[in-house]
């Protein structure tokens, strides 16, 4: 019972974001992009700064001249003094702004919630407290207010080595310190399950500062044990029936809720992303779901839930994984409502679900499938949005058409309908109806010839300029002969952003145009091939775009995931990116996270006076940070953000950023 596992096995939970899934080139060769990325760390160690000169051999003279020009140029339309990029154990915001911690892992959400005690955490306490690893942040106004509303927050996953005392042992491995993590007890697994899901919490701005309304009557925790309904075309299908649910309509819980959205009718949608990690065990020999699960990397077995709960063990419940990988809709107006998994929107590793009302009133959801070489989707409702009757929109998400994007070399994009009976989506290809097509959305999109992308993350429609922004994080596995116009870099270490203009400005259109807004990375290093404007400073460039937001002026803000000492010599953060006029592709750093964290959220309040950001997995890592240089875990974390108290672990938290003295952000 005291068997210790290697750190590699357990720390994979924290590496799930890497999405080293199936359908991917299996070689481990170090790519050019990785070699370039590694240079940044060496530069940092050698010079202790972000100076360009340390790698002069790879800096193009043109870029150097351009950098000089940039200093003189007026640059960005965002009015704030840029923050300096770097790495330490704290968060930092641009001068003149306050960044106040609003909600931390373990914070009480109800009048009867126990105070957080990390040494005595229980599932019961956790289910009444703010969950772990905050990701998506949404705001639903109460009576139209920009200063009083419901904050909805996803809790994507758990990091047991940072959550639980006494489970990590440091050993010597290959001459280096390594962490070994003990198996979790059932009680700890139960805490993990209660720390997943989402939070709905009333917040109010009082004297310029946001406060949590602890006894808000709509406050709610959603967890991996909340009863949910399967709705839409897959509900009741044989492939989603289990011993516990012979009806195929009731699911217990949601997992790995990454980004999401708030619908025009004020419901909260949560995207189920890396579902493969939660399942373990083996399918019975020759099982019909083998190929389906392989395409999603199921089972990955990073979590131990299957040891305690049959539904996460494939040998016992072979159909259970088909009940995950969906978009979940929550009616926040009724804290007892049953969340619905909207199967019409497809099943894959859903990153997010941002939406907009099209010209004719249909509602369009942009959906990314975050895996190397997977796809960009959009769902168009059949019915139209009713602005005067909220309940009339109740089941809009059960009927509509899912499309997948094909990006052509000539700068056009076609949205291919994923509809049973059309094109290759037929019985000959193993689909008996639309339910099969939706359960195996990836295979359907493969057959349609969709464009294989460099990890599609958040996709944001912009109501102000009519464009759609697609974040593509990276894809170190793309080879030279796999490059295409929409994924233009081999070994894409730093990612890029695509801008789509739908035909006639109609978000429901089946055709549009696209261009690359930005290839990311250090634009002063010629080999990187980044395309930030020359007005972008050495602090202003970034890599690995992940989440994004537009403020009400239609300006783009990009949050990153995956930077750090080795990758880019800077932590993740929030950058303001110009998309219009001469300043297009100019970027400025506004906020950065402590070591080990990624930047999630972001979200602007309806009056643009607050930027909410989610600091996810702070302290997860630090071996490659010169100032720490060893495994980070509960007793010895690389940061104790945000409390910095010796008896308090590092905690993921949502931060509210406001301008000192009030006013809109960056105006
Ligand atoms: Fe959960 Fe794709 O980030
Ligand atoms: Ca993300
Ligand atoms: Ca977003
Ligand atoms: Ca991410």
């Amino acid at each position: 019972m005291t068997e210790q596992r290697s750190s590699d096995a357990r720390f994979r939970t924290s590496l799930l974001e890497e999405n080293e899934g199936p359908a991917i080139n299996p070689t481990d060769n170090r790519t050019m992009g990785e070699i370039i990325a590694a240079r940044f760390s060496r530069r940092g160690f050698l010079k202790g700064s972000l100076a360009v000169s340390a790698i002069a051999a790879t800096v193009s003279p043109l870029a150097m001249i351009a950098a000089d020009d940039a200093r003189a140029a007026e640059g960005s339309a965002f009015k704030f003094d840029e923050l300096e990029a770097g790495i330490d154990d704290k968060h930092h915001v641009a001068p003149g702004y306050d960044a106040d911690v609003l909600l931390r892992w373990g914070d009480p959400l109800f009048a009867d919630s126990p105070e957080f005690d990390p040494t005595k955490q229980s599932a019961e306490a956790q289910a009444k407290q703010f969950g772990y690893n905050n990701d998506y942040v949404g705001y639903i106004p109460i009576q139209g207010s920009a200063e009083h509303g419901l904050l909805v927050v996803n809790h994507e996953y758990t990091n047991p080595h940072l959550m639980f005392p006494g489970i990590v042992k440091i050993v010597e491995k290959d001459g280096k310190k390594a962490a070994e993590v003990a198996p979790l007890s059932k009680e700890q697994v139960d805490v993990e399950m209660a720390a997943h899901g989402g939070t709905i919490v009333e917040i109010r701005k009082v004297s310029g500062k946001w406060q949590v309304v602890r006894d808000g009557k709509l406050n709610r925790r959603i967890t991996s044990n909340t009863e949910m309904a399967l709705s839409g075309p897959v509900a009741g299908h044989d492939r989603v029936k289990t011993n516990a649910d012979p009806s195929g309509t009731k699911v217990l819980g949601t997992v790995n809720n990454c980004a999401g959205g708030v619908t025009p009718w004020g419901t909260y949608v949560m995207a189920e992303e890396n579902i493969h990690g939660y399942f373990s065990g083996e399918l019975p020999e020759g099982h019909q779901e083998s190929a389906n699960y392989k395409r999603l990397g199921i089972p990955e077995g990073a979590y131990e839930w299957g040891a305690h709960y049959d539904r996460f063990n494939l040998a016992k419940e072979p159909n259970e994984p088909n009940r995950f990988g969906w978009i979940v809709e929550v009616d926040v107006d009724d804290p007892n409502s049953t969340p619905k998994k909207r199967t019409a929107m497809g099943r894959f590793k859903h990153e997010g679900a941002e939406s907009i009302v099209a010209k004719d009133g249909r509602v369009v959801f942009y959906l990314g499938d975050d895996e190397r070489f997977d796809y960009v989707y959009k769902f168009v409702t059949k019915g139209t949005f009713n602005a005067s009757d909220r309940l009339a929109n109740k089941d809009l998400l059960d009927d509509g058409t899912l499309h997948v994007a094909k990006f052509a070399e000539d700068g056009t994009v076609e949205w291919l309908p994923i509809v049973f009976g059309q094109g290759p989506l037929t019985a000959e290809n193993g689909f008996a109806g639309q339910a099969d097509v939706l359960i195996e959305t990836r295979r359907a999109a493969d057959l349609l010839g969709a464009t294989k992308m460099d990890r599609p993350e958040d996709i944001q429609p912009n109501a102000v300029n009519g464009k759609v922004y697609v974040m593509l994080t990276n894809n170190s596995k793309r080879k030279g002969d796999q490059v295409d116009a929409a994924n233009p870099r081999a070994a894409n270490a730093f990612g890029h952003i695509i801008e789509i203009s739908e035909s006639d400005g109609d978000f429901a259109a089946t055709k549009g145009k696209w261009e690359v807004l930005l290839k990311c990375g250090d634009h002063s290093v010629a080999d990187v091939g980044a395309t930030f404007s020359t007005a972008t400073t050495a602090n202003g460039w970034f890599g690995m775009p992940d989440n994004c937001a537009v403020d009400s002026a239609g300006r783009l803000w990009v949050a990153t995931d995956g930077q750090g000492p080795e990758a880019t010599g800077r932590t993740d953060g929030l950058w303001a990116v110009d998309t219009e006029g001469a300043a297009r592709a100019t970027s400025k750093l506004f906020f950065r996270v402590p070591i080990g964290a990624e930047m999630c959220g972001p979200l602007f309040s309806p009056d643009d006076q607050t930027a909410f950001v989610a600091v996810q997995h702070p302290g997860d890592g630090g071996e490659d940070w010169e100032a720490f240089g060893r495994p980070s875990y509960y007793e010895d974390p690389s940061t104790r953000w945000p409390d910095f108290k010796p008896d308090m672990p590092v905690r993921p938290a949502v931060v509210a950023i406001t301008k000192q003295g009030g006013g809109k952000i960056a105006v």
Side-chain angles (χ1 to χ4, degrees):
M1 293 302 287
T2 54
E3 184 193 312
Q4 300 283 315
R5 284 161 312 168
S6 79
S7 58
D8 290 351
R10 188 58 225 183
F11 282 1
R12 277 207 51 83
T13 15
S14 61
L15 294 176
L16 281 175
E17 290 289 313
E18 295 290 330
N19 284 11
E20 293 183 83
I24 292 172
N25 184 325
T27 64
D28 285 330
N29 297 343
R30 228 167 152 238
T31 62
M32 187 63 201
E34 283 160 353
I35 292 165
I36 292 169
R39 281 189 195 141
F40 289 103
S41 64
R42 238 172 291 141
R43 176 174 55 175
F45 290 152
L46 289 172
K47 296 284 180 188
S49 78
L50 298 168
V52 166
S53 57
I55 45 165
T58 60
V59 176
S60 82
L62 269 180
M64 294 293 281
I65 294 164
D68 287 344
D69 285 350
R71 277 188 280 278
E74 232 174 79
S76 169
F78 292 87
K79 302 297 178 218
F80 65 90
D81 293 329
E82 185 169 46
L83 177 65
E84 196 173 328
I87 300 173
D88 63 24
D89 62 348
K90 299 176 182 64
H91 71 263
H92 298 271
V93 68
Y97 290 84
D98 288 328
D100 300 311
V101 173
L102 177 64
L103 276 161
R104 302 160 297 185
W105 167 49
D107 278 350
L109 296 172
F110 306 93
D112 64 345
S113 300
E115 294 300 319
F116 181 57
D117 180 348
T119 65
K120 295 198 187 75
Q121 185 62 322
S122 68
E124 196 187 12
Q126 180 65 76
K128 292 181 174 179
Q129 299 165 337
F130 195 62
Y132 206 78
N133 272 348
N134 30 226
D135 195 308
Y136 176 75
V137 180
Y139 177 86
I140 301 173
I142 293 176
Q143 293 172 342
S145 176
E147 301 197 337
H148 183 206
L150 297 176
L151 202 70
V152 296
V153 183
N154 282 354
H155 302 295
E156 188 181 22
Y157 69 100
T158 44
N159 290 115
H161 61 292
L162 296 171
M163 294 171 71
F164 302 119
I167 65 167
V168 172
K169 188 171 85 179
I170 298 298
V171 296
E172 289 285 324
K173 201 173 154 193
D174 304 328
K176 285 198 337 210
K177 285 195 162 117
E180 275 190 351
V181 185
L184 299 187
S185 64
K186 179 170 180 297
E187 288 68 29
Q188 287 166 328
V189 165
D190 288 341
V191 171
E192 282 195 297
M193 294 175 84
H196 275 69
T199 287
I200 297 157
V201 62
E202 188 177 331
I203 59 169
R204 187 192 290 276
K205 208 174 179 187
V206 179
S207 306
K209 296 286 177 193
W210 287 95
Q211 297 177 354
V212 169
V213 181
R214 182 161 161 177
D215 55 358
K217 63 181 192 302
L218 300 181
N219 291 4
R220 181 176 189 186
R221 272 303 319 281
I222 291 176
T223 74
S224 297
N225 283 308
T226 301
E227 191 171 304
M228 314 207 158
L230 276 171
S231 73
V234 174
H237 193 278
D238 283 348
R239 293 174 73 178
V240 292
K241 290 177 180 166
T242 64
N243 289 314
D245 172 32
S247 75
T249 59
K250 286 185 204 144
V251 183
L252 218 44
T254 181
V255 295
N256 215 265
N257 305 95
C258 188
V262 167
T263 64
W265 52 97
T267 58
Y268 162 35
V269 281
M270 314 163 77
E272 295 185 326
E273 192 193 23
N274 288 308
I275 59 165
H276 56 300
Y278 299 86
F279 295 95
S280 52
E282 281 182 32
L283 279 181
E285 185 74 26
H287 196 275
Q288 60 158 2
E289 301 296 349
S290 296
N292 165 23
Y293 292 173
K294 188 156 184 267
R295 184 67 177 83
L296 286 154
I298 298 167
E300 200 257 5
Y303 288 79
E304 294 148 280
W305 299 6
H308 304 286
Y309 295 96
D310 287 356
R311 68 185 196 273
F312 294 105
N313 183 337
L314 295 190
K316 293 180 174 159
E317 284 293 2
N319 284 346
E320 191 72 25
N322 283 337
R323 295 143 64 86
F324 291 82
W326 304 105
I327 294 291
V328 183
E329 183 180 20
V330 185
D331 176 4
V332 298
D333 284 0
D334 174 5
N336 297 311
S337 64
T338 302
K340 291 182 175 158
K341 296 199 177 190
R342 300 294 189 181
T343 63
M345 300 173 81
R347 174 171 171 270
F348 43 90
K349 293 183 185 173
H350 276 286
E351 171 72 21
E354 300 279 13
S355 60
I356 194 158
V357 180
K359 283 176 174 175
D360 64 1
R362 288 182 292 164
V363 188
V364 181
F365 286 77
Y366 288 92
L367 309 163
D369 183 356
D370 181 7
E371 189 101 54
R372 296 176 182 118
F373 302 108
D374 265 289
Y375 306 125
V376 166
Y377 297 84
K378 81 173 174 188
F379 177 77
V380 183
T381 60
K382 182 164 185 238
T384 55
F385 170 55
N386 186 334
S388 57
D389 179 5
R390 198 182 66 86
L391 283 179
N393 307 297
K394 179 164 72 79
D395 289 316
L396 265 187
L397 299 185
D398 276 347
D399 200 357
T401 305
L402 183 65
H403 304 76
V404 66
K406 186 170 184 175
F407 293 89
E409 301 283 316
D410 65 358
T412 59
V413 56
E414 192 177 354
W415 293 102
L416 309 167
I418 303 178
V419 176
F420 173 71
Q422 292 188 18
L425 308 183
T426 58
E428 294 81 73
N429 281 318
F431 302 108
Q434 185 66 7
D436 287 331
V437 166
L438 291 166
I439 288 169
E440 294 182 76
T441 303
R442 281 186 171 182
R443 188 166 74 85
D446 293 341
L447 288 164
L448 288 165
T451 304
K452 297 179 185 341
M453 308 299 288
D454 289 346
R455 291 189 57 196
E457 297 253 22
D458 204 359
I459 307 176
Q460 194 80 39
N462 184 337
V464 176
N465 67 4
K467 305 280 170 65
V468 180
Y469 295 97
V470 183
M471 304 297 119
L472 297 153
T473 281
N474 57 25
N475 184 353
S476 57
K477 304 278 192 216
R478 187 175 293 274
K479 301 204 155 179
D481 61 2
Q482 295 172 312
V483 162
D484 58 37
N487 300 278
R489 285 192 284 185
N492 182 3
F494 304 108
H496 59 289
I497 299 174
I498 285 179
E499 181 185 68
I500 296 174
S501 307
E502 302 280 26
S503 291
D504 302 321
D506 177 7
F507 290 104
T510 54
K511 286 191 165 60
K513 293 202 162 96
W514 66 271
E515 60 184 291
V516 174
L517 169 68
L518 197 51
K519 290 186 234 172
C520 304
D522 185 346
H523 55 309
S524 72
V525 181
D527 291 353
V528 170
T531 58
F532 287 99
S533 83
T534 57
T536 306
T537 73
N539 298 306
W541 64 267
F542 59 82
M544 301 81 156
D546 184 331
N547 292 6
C548 66
V550 290
D551 59 25
S552 54
R555 303 182 308 170
L556 180 65
W557 297 78
V558 175
T560 64
D561 171 19
Q563 303 195 82
E566 285 285 338
T568 60
R570 55 195 57 202
T571 59
D572 285 319
L574 182 64
W575 276 263
V577 180
D578 279 282
T579 59
E580 309 295 328
R584 183 170 163 90
T586 302
S587 169
K588 273 173 82 173
L589 177 56
F590 183 65
F591 177 88
R592 66 176 159 95
V593 298
I595 182 73
E598 79 173 86
M599 182 85 283
C600 297
L603 174 83
F604 284 79
S605 59
D607 60 4
D608 282 344
Q609 295 204 21
T610 305
F612 294 102
V613 292
V615 177
Q616 195 190 63
H617 61 78
D620 187 17
E623 291 95 325
D624 61 348
W625 178 35
E626 207 177 15
F628 190 71
R630 57 190 187 272
S632 174
Y633 61 103
Y634 185 95
E635 285 81 4
D636 183 22
S638 51
T639 173
R640 287 195 185 269
W641 189 88
D643 305 286
F644 294 103
K645 290 183 183 155
D647 57 350
M648 195 52 82
V650 56
R651 298 203 264 176
V654 171
V655 172
I657 303 171
T658 50
K659 198 188 243 176
Q660 288 165 1
K664 294 188 178 195
I665 305 277
V667 171

